[in-house]
């Protein structure tokens, strides 16, 4: 691969932070759906947190958030935002999700967020196993995922091709139905699934089975 994923996102981070949300109405809907299910006592883990925008929005509604990303530059920007907003209950750390420790029995997270990330992970099965082990029984997993397999436009072929020749990080060609099925197979019950109009992304709320 010509572009290492960590290096790619470190280079992209400042520009990414300045770019407006592509679909603000859809983003707001996802925020509101998530917020309605959060509790003041919740401990939350967000992996692939990027520049920390979503974690910082939800921070006032929960007890604590661990927000991680393997890009040091993304984490630096996230911490700058937290400092500017005087938010102290979010712990931003540079870490790959697979290296983040599984909580000991009885101390799992109440909520895990994996937003705009599942189509980028190298091993979806391992990632979902890690999510399951990180949650308490009955805990919630929120994901928002680009599903190129459901599109018919150029992006269905261009992004995987650019990934294959090393110009972009790997982008999996997932489908919404296949993703729901895979999440269910890893010990979750899908409680909510929503796709914004004319979007390749699917937003899923899944609960870890008891």
């Amino acid at each position: 691969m010509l572009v290492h994923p960590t290096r790619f996102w470190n280079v992209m981070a400042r520009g990414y932070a300045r770019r407006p949300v592509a679909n603000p109405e859809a983003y707001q809907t996802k925020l509101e759906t998530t917020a309605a299910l959060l509790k003041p006592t919740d401990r939350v883990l967000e992996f692939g947190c990027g520049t920390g925008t979503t974690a910082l929005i939800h921070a006032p509604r929960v007890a604590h958030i661990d927000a991680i990303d393997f890009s040091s530059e993304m984490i630096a920007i996230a911490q700058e935002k937290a400092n500017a907003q005087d938010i102290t209950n979010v712990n931003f750390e540079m870490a790959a999700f697979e290296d983040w420790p599984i909580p000991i029995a009885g101390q799992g997270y109440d909520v895990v967020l994996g937003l705009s990330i599942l189509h980028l992970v190298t091993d979806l099965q391992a990632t979902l196993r890690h999510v399951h082990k990180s949650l308490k029984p009955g805990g919630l997993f929120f994901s928002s995922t680009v599903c190129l397999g459901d599109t018919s436009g150029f992006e269905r072929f261009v992004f995987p091709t650019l990934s294959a020749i090393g110009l972009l990080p790997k982008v999996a060609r997932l489908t919404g139905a296949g993703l729901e099925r895979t999440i269910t197979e890893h010990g979750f019950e899908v409680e909510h699934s929503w796709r914004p109009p004319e979007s390749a992304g699917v937003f899923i709320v899944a609960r870890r089975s008891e």
Side-chain angles (χ1 to χ4, degrees):
M1 171 176 282
L2 297 177
V3 177
H4 188 278
T6 304
R7 189 179 309 117
F8 176 86
W9 289 112
N10 280 339
V11 169
M12 294 289 290
R14 295 287 166 178
Y16 179 84
R18 292 191 296 268
R19 195 165 63 227
V21 175
N23 189 336
E25 293 83 8
Y27 182 58
Q28 187 62 35
T29 296
K30 296 171 191 177
L31 288 175
E32 291 172 357
T33 301
T34 304
L37 294 168
L38 296 176
K39 303 186 297 295
T41 57
D42 280 346
R43 291 178 61 253
V44 179
L45 170 64
E46 182 179 8
F47 66 97
C49 69
T51 60
T53 299
T54 300
L56 294 172
I57 288 172
H58 289 312
R61 301 183 176 92
V62 301
H64 181 79
I65 300 177
D66 287 321
I68 64 174
D69 199 287
F70 60 41
S71 165
S72 59
E73 192 63 19
M74 291 283 192
I75 291 298
I77 295 169
Q79 190 60 61
E80 291 168 11
K81 291 181 181 180
N83 294 342
Q85 298 174 42
D86 197 26
I87 293 175
T88 59
N89 68 329
V90 181
N91 170 45
F92 287 111
E93 288 200 37
M94 187 185 72
F97 183 46
E98 60 267 25
D99 297 329
W100 192 251
I102 299 292
I104 64 174
Q107 296 186 18
Y109 291 96
D110 301 285
V111 173
V112 172
L113 306 176
L115 307 172
S116 299
I117 190 66
L118 293 183
H119 52 283
L120 297 174
V121 301
T122 56
D123 189 335
L124 179 60
Q125 311 289 331
T127 297
L128 292 174
R129 287 193 296 269
H130 201 109
V131 171
H132 187 274
K133 292 176 182 178
S134 298
L135 279 167
K136 294 177 180 177
L140 290 171
F141 175 44
F142 296 83
S143 62
S144 183
T145 308
V146 174
C147 293
L148 290 179
D150 290 334
T151 66
S152 56
F154 77 97
E155 66 268 29
R156 179 176 184 177
F157 305 99
V158 170
F159 289 119
T161 299
L162 292 177
S163 299
I165 63 177
L167 296 181
L168 285 177
K170 177 186 174 183
V171 181
R173 194 177 296 177
L174 303 173
T175 66
L179 180 60
E180 284 192 40
R181 183 169 58 252
T182 303
I183 289 173
T184 300
E185 289 170 351
H186 283 78
F188 293 92
E189 298 174 6
V190 173
E191 296 190 345
H192 177 72
S193 181
W194 177 68
R195 187 190 300 272
E198 301 180 2
S199 171
V202 60
F203 177 68
I204 293 174
V205 182
R207 188 178 299 275
R208 176 181 159 171
S209 302
E210 297 289 345

